[in-house]
Amino acid sequence: MDKKKRRFYVRTLILAILVVAIGYTIYTTATKDEVRLLKVGAEAPDFSLVDLDGQTHRLSDYKGKGVMLNFWGTWCKPCKKEMPAMNNQYKVFKDQGIEVLSINQAQTVFEVENFISDFNLKFPVVIDKTKSVTRAYNVNNLPASIFIDPTGKVVRVHEGELTEEMLAEFFSSIKPE
C-alpha cells in the first residue's frame, strides 16, 4: 500500500473517531437531565456499606423505619451548611422511627473522621469508596437526599441544601405509623 492510501485511511479513521466522540458528547449532554435521581415511588435499591466503626449498614436492615440517605462530601459547602440541621432533626426524630444514613463520596477515613468530629454528628456515616451506591441512586450533584418510607419506597428526592424546617417536614412524611 502506498503512502497516500495509508494516510487517507488513517485520516478517515481519525475523523470517524472524532465524529463518534462528538456525537456521544452531544447525546450525553442532551440527555443528562433525564438521568436524574431515583424516581419517587420506586423501590429503594438495597446496599451494604461499612461505617467508621466497622459496623455494616444495609438499607434492608432499616425496613419498618423511615430512612434518609444523604450523599455528601467534605469539600461541599451546602453539605457543611445542612449538617447541623440534619444533626438537630435526627435527635428530634430518631426515637420516632427515623434513621439517617450519611453517605460520603469516596473520601479518606481521615477527612471523614475530622468532618464528623467538627460537626459532632450523631447519625451513622459511611464511605461509598467505589461510588457504587451513588451510581445506584443516580446521584450527580451534592448534597442529595433520598427519603424512604418504612416499606422501602422512595417518597422524596431532594438535591441541594436542606433547612431544619424542610427536614422536619420530610421526616414527618416518612415516620412509621
Side-chain angles (χ1 to χ4, degrees), residues 44-48 57-64 67 137 150 152:
D46 198 16
F47 61 85
S48 176
H57 295 267
R58 285 178 192 78
L59 182 60
S60 56
D61 292 342
Y62 294 103
K63 281 262 183 177
V67 178
Y137 282 84

Side-chain angles (χ1 to χ4, degrees), residues 60-113:
S60 56
D61 292 342
Y62 294 103
K63 281 262 183 177
K65 294 185 173 197
V67 178
M68 173 191 178
L69 302 179
N70 178 255
F71 295 85
W72 63 280
T74 61
W75 47 265
C76 165
K77 287 185 178 161
C79 300
K80 290 177 184 179
K81 285 180 72 180
E82 75 180 359
M83 283 297 168
M86 282 175 45
N87 212 30
N88 291 340
Q89 289 303 307
Y90 175 68
K91 290 175 193 173
V92 170
F93 282 90
K94 70 179 179 176
D95 293 331
Q96 299 177 46
I98 297 293
E99 291 293 335
V100 171
L101 190 55
S102 185
I103 303 172
N104 175 267
Q105 300 302 291
Q107 292 186 266
T108 66
V109 170
F110 178 75
E111 290 172 301
V112 174
E113 282 177 340

Side-chain angles (χ1 to χ4, degrees), residues 35-36 71 105 128 130-139:
V35 181
R36 302 290 297 156
F71 295 85
Q105 300 302 291
D128 187 7
T130 63
K131 294 190 177 181
S132 60
V133 177
T134 302
R135 281 191 301 277
Y137 282 84
N138 295 326
V139 172

Side-chain angles (χ1 to χ4, degrees), residues 159-174:
E159 285 185 308
E161 182 184 336
L162 291 163
T163 64
E164 289 219 29
E165 295 77 20
M166 293 165 78
L167 284 160
E169 177 190 334
F170 297 168
F171 283 165
S172 292
S173 73
I174 59 171

Side-chain angles (χ1 to χ4, degrees), residues 135-147:
R135 281 191 301 277
Y137 282 84
N138 295 326
V139 172
N140 293 311
N141 301 314
L142 298 181
S145 298
I146 314 289
F147 294 86

Side-chain angles (χ1 to χ4, degrees), residues 18-29:
L18 283 172
V19 167
V20 169
I22 291 169
Y24 176 76
T25 302
I26 291 169
Y27 172 77
T28 55
T29 302

